[in-house]
Structures are given as structure tokens and as C-alpha cells.
Amino acid sequence: QRMCRWNLGGMRMLLGSDLMVFGAPQHPCVSLFLRDPEAMTMPAFLDLYLDNAMASVPEMLICWHKEGAVQGYMLKRTDDVPKMTSFAFSPERIQASGTHVLEWLKQECRREDSTYWLHREGGQDELALYAAPDDTSLPPHVALPVAMLCFRAAGRLSASTKQEHRSRRRELLARGCNMLDEGKHWFLVASAHEAIAETLVAIGRGSGATLGQVDSYHAAESANETFVLPSSDKKRDTEDAASHLATAMAIAEAHSRVAAAPDTFPGAEVWYRARRKALECWAFLVKVHLAKGHVTAAHS
């Protein structure tokens, strides 16, 4: 994957492209496409044209196949693709339409650090624009794909422990939950609450056999093996994480009838996973109270 700079209607854009580009002495920059000739419609040719135009690739090599069996190859200049559709589309009209849409988006997308979702119903000409993580009053048929967009964006941040990335991931997960009907999409909502807990503290990542393996994402604490009274941030984060894990368990149990079939209900995996993490959090909080003298330890 590479980044491309594209100018359209006087506006400069930075685009991501996964187009396969090859080179040879006679053809230094050519893209490669594998296509079934019977499936080639006008929109399919338009996709080929736009892929090359946005990546500034002057030529394309189309490998024609039928059910995986190669039928032949065709080398075409990008500018000649419209001729292959008897000019069903023209570069000038495409550029004019694209410029109009981009100018509209530029006017509407004004909020910093926001994600927008552009949607068009099949067979319709009208475009609808939604502020993906912020607009919770979405039509039912739009809410699920927008929520999934939030979850996918959150998933791309899952490997980072930076404060700003964890906060952004937590926000995206929470907004996605708010968009969904819990009764219809309970598994997604329960999984999101479990993921939110993981943005607060690292749970069960230690090598010890005892419960209470909770690590803070904040500044590292003492490196010795004795129990160290955590900062108030770590305690508060652990309490919040335990709350989200309890919510995940409650949702899975309510919609799966856990008591009837404890090992086979649909949400068993997320329920048991959330329960294990919740036990780690609760055990850690008990240690905190014991260290503060709020709880008297039992003696035999």
C-alpha cells in the first residue's frame, strides 16, 4: 500500500492506494487487474479508470479469465478506458461530478478529529453524509454499518497503548454501542464493552498464577515483586473496567439465557472471557482495600 497525491478541481488530496503497479523498460509504470470479461460493466470499467487516474498510472494490463483459467491479456492506456464503454462515461464529467461532491464535503466536514460516513442507497442519486461517531440519530438501516465503521476504526488502534489512541478507541467503541439496538445486536454491544475495559487497564497479562493481574497504562510503578499501593488513577480505571466487564456479562447473560445452558449459549465465549477479566479486576481492588486497611483479612 502506498500514498498518492491527487489534484481534483484545485483541491489537493492524500489518498491511500493498494493498486499493484509494475514496470519494464518499454512500460515503466503499468497496473495489473484480473477480471472476468462477462462481469465487466460500465461501473467496473469506471473503477479501473479511477484506480489508475488517482494513482497517476498511465497504463493498465488486464488479465482476462474465466473461473480462474486465463483467457488472455490486454494492455490499455488509462485515457483509452472510456472508449471501451463506447464513452458511457467521460473523464470531464467524472471530474466535474467529483469536484462538486468534494466541494460539498469540504463545506460540511468542518469538525476537527471527526469521522464522516458518505452513504448512497443503491439505484439512487442522492448522497447522505453522517458524522460517524457523533450522530446517534441514524436511520436503522444506516446505524449498523456506521457502528461497524466505528468498531473497525477502533480496532486499528488496538495495538497502541498511547493515551490519545486509547481515548480515541474508547470513544469510538462507546459511540458505536450508542448507535445499536442492544436487543438486535447484543453480541456486538457486549464485545464492545469488553474492549472498552481493555482501553482502561491491561488485564491478566502477568505470568503469576494468582488473581489480580492488572497493569496500569500510566507511568510504570515499582518494579519489585511486592504489592505496591496503586495510584488513584489506576484504582479508578480498574473500577471503570470492572463496570464495563460486568455490563458485558449482563448483556450476554440476558440475551443468551446463560443459566439454561452454561456451556453452549451463543454468548458463552464473551461471557466467560469478560468474567475472567472481571475477576482479575475485583481481586486487584480487594488487594487495594486490604492495603489501605479498609478490609480485615481473615486469619485461620
Side-chain angles (χ1 to χ4, degrees):
Q1 189 172 16
R2 60 197 181 99
M3 307 304 293
C4 305
R5 297 185 182 275
W6 193 38
N7 293 316
L8 180 63
M11 290 174 280
R12 293 181 299 175
M13 292 172 287
L14 184 64
L15 307 174
S17 174
D18 57 0
L19 189 66
M20 292 188 294
V21 180
F22 302 90
Q26 298 83 6
H27 304 280
C29 186
V30 57
S31 61
L32 175 64
F33 296 96
L34 183 66
R35 294 291 186 271
D36 183 343
E38 295 182 3
M40 293 303 292
T41 60
M42 190 278 287
F45 279 108
L46 177 58
D47 283 342
L48 298 184
Y49 173 80
L50 289 175
D51 281 344
N52 266 30
M54 289 188 290
S56 300
V57 178
E59 294 181 300
M60 66 177 66
L61 181 65
I62 305 176
C63 174
W64 299 116
H65 77 95
K66 185 65 176 177
E67 297 181 351
V70 175
Q71 305 293 309
Y73 296 88
M74 182 174 67
L75 181 66
K76 282 287 183 180
R77 291 186 54 81
T78 302
D79 292 340
D80 293 335
V81 174
K83 299 178 184 178
M84 300 172 67
T85 65
S86 300
F87 294 97
F89 70 90
S90 69
E92 293 77 15
R93 290 183 60 186
I94 294 298
Q95 182 172 353
S97 298
T99 301
H100 177 72
V101 171
L102 284 175
E103 288 176 345
W104 173 62
L105 292 175
K106 188 177 180 180
Q107 293 176 355
E108 298 295 329
C109 302
R110 297 181 178 180
R111 282 182 289 187
E112 295 289 341
D113 195 27
S114 295
T115 301
Y116 292 86
W117 193 63
L118 188 63
H119 177 71
R120 180 175 68 87
E121 293 286 352
Q124 302 296 321
D125 294 330
E126 294 183 355
L127 293 173
L129 182 68
Y130 301 99
D134 301 319
D135 194 345
T136 57
S137 59
L138 300 176
H141 68 285
V142 175
L144 178 59
V146 176
M148 293 303 297
L149 175 65
C150 292
F151 293 154
R152 286 195 295 271
R156 288 195 289 268
L157 300 172
S158 61
S160 174
T161 59
K162 292 183 178 180
Q163 172 65 30
E164 60 268 26
H165 292 166
R166 290 188 294 108
S167 296
R168 180 60 173 166
R169 185 185 177 207
R170 186 160 55 247
E171 177 188 2
L172 289 166
L173 290 166
R175 295 290 171 80
C177 283
N178 292 336
M179 293 178 191
L180 295 178
D181 181 345
E182 182 184 307
K184 295 181 179 178
H185 307 291
W186 62 267
F187 188 87
L188 289 174
V189 175
S191 298
H193 277 285
E194 179 193 2
I196 290 174
E198 284 285 6
T199 68
L200 294 164
V201 285
I203 306 168
R205 298 183 182 180
S207 57
T210 60
L211 288 173
Q213 301 293 324
V214 176
D215 296 319
S216 175
Y217 289 118
H218 296 287
E221 298 174 333
S222 173
N224 62 41
E225 297 180 358
T226 61
F227 178 74
V228 178
L229 186 66
S231 66
S232 59
D233 283 341
K234 182 176 180 180
K235 177 177 177 293
R236 182 173 59 252
D237 289 345
T238 304
E239 290 172 341
D240 290 343
S243 176
H244 282 285
L245 291 168
T247 299
M249 292 170 58
I251 293 173
E253 184 173 357
H255 295 279
S256 301
R257 298 180 181 177
V258 58
D263 295 319
T264 60
F265 67 97
E269 182 179 354
V270 66
W271 189 87
Y272 282 111
R273 195 169 57 232
R275 178 178 177 271
R276 178 185 60 79
K277 295 176 181 178
L279 287 173
E280 296 280 4
C281 292
W282 293 329
F284 173 82
L285 293 172
V286 168
K287 289 182 181 180
V288 172
H289 285 283
L290 285 171
K292 286 185 175 182
H294 292 172
V295 178
T296 301
H299 299 280
S300 57

